[in-house]
């Protein structure tokens, strides 16, 4: 339920950013949303929200096949909430300065999209394409999406002029940087876990995260008590979940957390 609430609220924030900052200045968002804005601007049917929904249908099908039912279900919720909210929120120019609109619109969009990612969904479109690509390579997701958006910027330049294209570039870049600040899946952490309930924690890690674990036998230097020592590499994105279930199993667990520069060998990137 918490996932649904956060993703729903974040999707409304995306719609606010579009209707109050970007669309009034003809500054495009990235990806499919940006393509939908272009179509809405050049077609008689000025309905960006509807085009966002329609363009995302084939991408959501691809996501369903590769990323799972829950992810696609939450992504559909996000797309639907954004589309509906854009119909209900009036387009209003908050600032007359396009650069301010590009920066603040991009930052607000990036914050909302980053939260949607962190809680297991996406805004579909290039987000899903980017997530599919990061399964193969450890690219920062925001920068990858920014690279994919070059087509939107070029199209914007030919249709609306190159000044607006440059504002669009500023907006998309800002969105990407904020996404990488909030969504940290590409950052890896190594956990050294010492617990009297090491076996239970190991089983939980294997079933919930499907991560490889190295288990060592340890002994307290002062108490002489036997402990299991678990070594596991996770993504920064998974840390909160790991902390929660470790505390629920054994509140006295000692965990040393270090940032990992790189990983060689098998490491599941989803």
């Amino acid at each position: 339920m918490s996932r649904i609430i956060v993703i729903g609220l974040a999707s409304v924030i995306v719609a606010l950013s579009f209707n109050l900052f970007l669309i009034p200045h003809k500054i495009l968002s990235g990806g499919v949303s940006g393509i939908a804005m272009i179509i809405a601007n050049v077609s008689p049917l000025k309905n960006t929200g509807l085009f966002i929904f329609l363009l995302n249908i084939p991408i959501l099908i691809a996501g369903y096949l590769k990323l799972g039912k829950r992810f696609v279900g939450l992504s559909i919720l996000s797309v639907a909430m954004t589309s509906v909210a854009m119909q209900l929120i009036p387009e209003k120019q908050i600032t007359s300065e396009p650069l301010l609109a590009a920066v603040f619109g991009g930052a607000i969009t990036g914050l909302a999209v980053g939260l949607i990612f962190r809680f297991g969904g996406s805004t579909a479109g290039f987000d899903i394409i980017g997530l599919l690509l990061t399964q193969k390579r450890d690219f920062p997701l925001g920068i990858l999406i920014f690279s994919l958006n070059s087509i939107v910027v070029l199209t914007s330049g030919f249709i609306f002029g190159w000044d607006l294209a440059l504002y669009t570039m500023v907006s998309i870049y800002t969105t990407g940087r904020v996404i990488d600040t909030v969504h940290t899946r590409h950052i890896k952490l190594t956990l050294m876990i010492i617990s009297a309930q090491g076996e239970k924690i190991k089983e939980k890690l294997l079933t919930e995260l499907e991560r490889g674990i190295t288990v060592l036998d340890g002994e307290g230097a002062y108490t002489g008590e036997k402990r299991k020592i678990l070594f596991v590499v996770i993504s920064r994105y998974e840390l909160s979940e790991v902390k929660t279930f470790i505390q629920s199993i054994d509140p006295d667990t000692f965990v040393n957390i270090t940032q990992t520069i790189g990983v060689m060998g098998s490491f599941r990137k989803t």
Side-chain angles (χ1 to χ4, degrees):
M1 183 57 67
S2 63
R3 289 175 185 267
I4 292 173
I5 292 171
V6 172
I7 288 174
L9 290 174
S11 300
V12 173
I13 293 172
V14 171
L16 280 167
S17 178
F18 287 175
N19 281 5
L20 301 183
F21 290 95
L22 303 182
I23 293 176
H25 287 279
K26 289 186 169 58
I27 298 170
L28 305 183
S29 173
V32 169
S33 298
I35 296 170
M37 290 178 185
I38 293 173
I39 296 173
N41 272 286
V42 300
S43 73
L45 183 60
K46 307 293 184 181
N47 194 326
T48 303
L50 176 62
F51 287 121
I52 288 174
F53 187 79
L54 293 176
L55 290 173
N56 273 305
I57 290 174
I59 298 172
L60 285 167
I61 293 172
Y64 175 83
L65 297 174
K66 295 290 186 179
L67 299 172
K69 295 179 182 178
R70 185 174 71 171
F71 172 80
V72 171
L74 292 172
S75 299
I76 290 172
L77 169 67
S78 175
V79 172
M81 287 292 293
T82 300
S83 299
V84 171
M86 289 183 70
Q87 311 306 312
L88 300 177
I89 299 168
E91 291 182 21
K92 184 178 180 181
Q93 196 176 96
I94 294 295
T95 175
S96 59
E97 175 54 55
L99 183 59
L100 288 176
V103 172
F104 280 92
I108 293 169
T109 301
L111 174 62
V113 172
L115 286 172
I116 291 169
F117 281 142
R118 288 201 69 159
F119 281 81
S122 77
T123 56
F126 283 7
D127 299 344
I128 287 181
I129 296 172
L131 286 169
L132 289 171
L133 292 175
T134 55
Q135 286 185 319
K136 305 297 183 183
R137 301 286 182 185
D138 274 332
F139 295 119
L141 184 60
I143 297 301
L144 180 58
I145 293 173
F146 174 75
S147 301
L148 291 171
N149 281 321
S150 59
I151 186 173
V152 178
V153 176
L154 290 172
T155 305
S156 171
F158 285 112
I159 295 177
F160 303 118
W162 293 105
D163 284 347
L164 286 176
L166 293 176
Y167 287 131
T168 294
M169 178 72 80
V170 170
S171 173
I172 291 173
Y173 179 77
T174 305
T175 297
R177 296 301 296 177
V178 176
I179 286 174
D180 281 341
T181 301
V182 178
H183 177 271
T184 53
R185 188 184 293 272
H186 64 285
I187 297 174
K188 305 295 183 292
L189 303 174
T190 297
L191 274 56
M192 181 180 72
I193 304 166
I194 304 174
S195 173
Q197 302 294 327
E199 195 65 29
K200 290 183 179 179
I201 293 174
K202 180 188 75 173
E203 293 302 321
K204 190 73 171 178
L205 285 168
L206 289 172
T207 56
E208 295 293 327
L209 298 184
E210 300 179 17
R211 293 295 184 195
I213 305 163
T214 299
V215 182
L216 303 176
D217 291 321
E219 179 181 314
Y222 180 74
T223 64
E225 293 181 358
K226 304 297 182 181
R227 293 286 188 271
K228 291 293 185 183
I229 304 175
L230 282 62
F231 286 92
V232 60
V233 179
I234 64 173
S235 69
R236 175 66 180 79
Y237 184 76
E238 296 165 320
L239 180 60
S240 177
E241 182 181 357
V242 171
K243 283 181 175 179
T244 299
F245 71 63
I246 286 177
Q247 284 293 307
S248 68
I249 294 171
D250 181 9
D252 296 323
T253 298
F254 177 86
V255 183
N256 181 38
I257 304 169
T258 55
Q259 185 162 331
T260 302
I261 301 299
V263 177
M264 295 177 65
S266 177
F267 183 83
R268 185 176 59 85
K269 299 179 177 63
T270 57

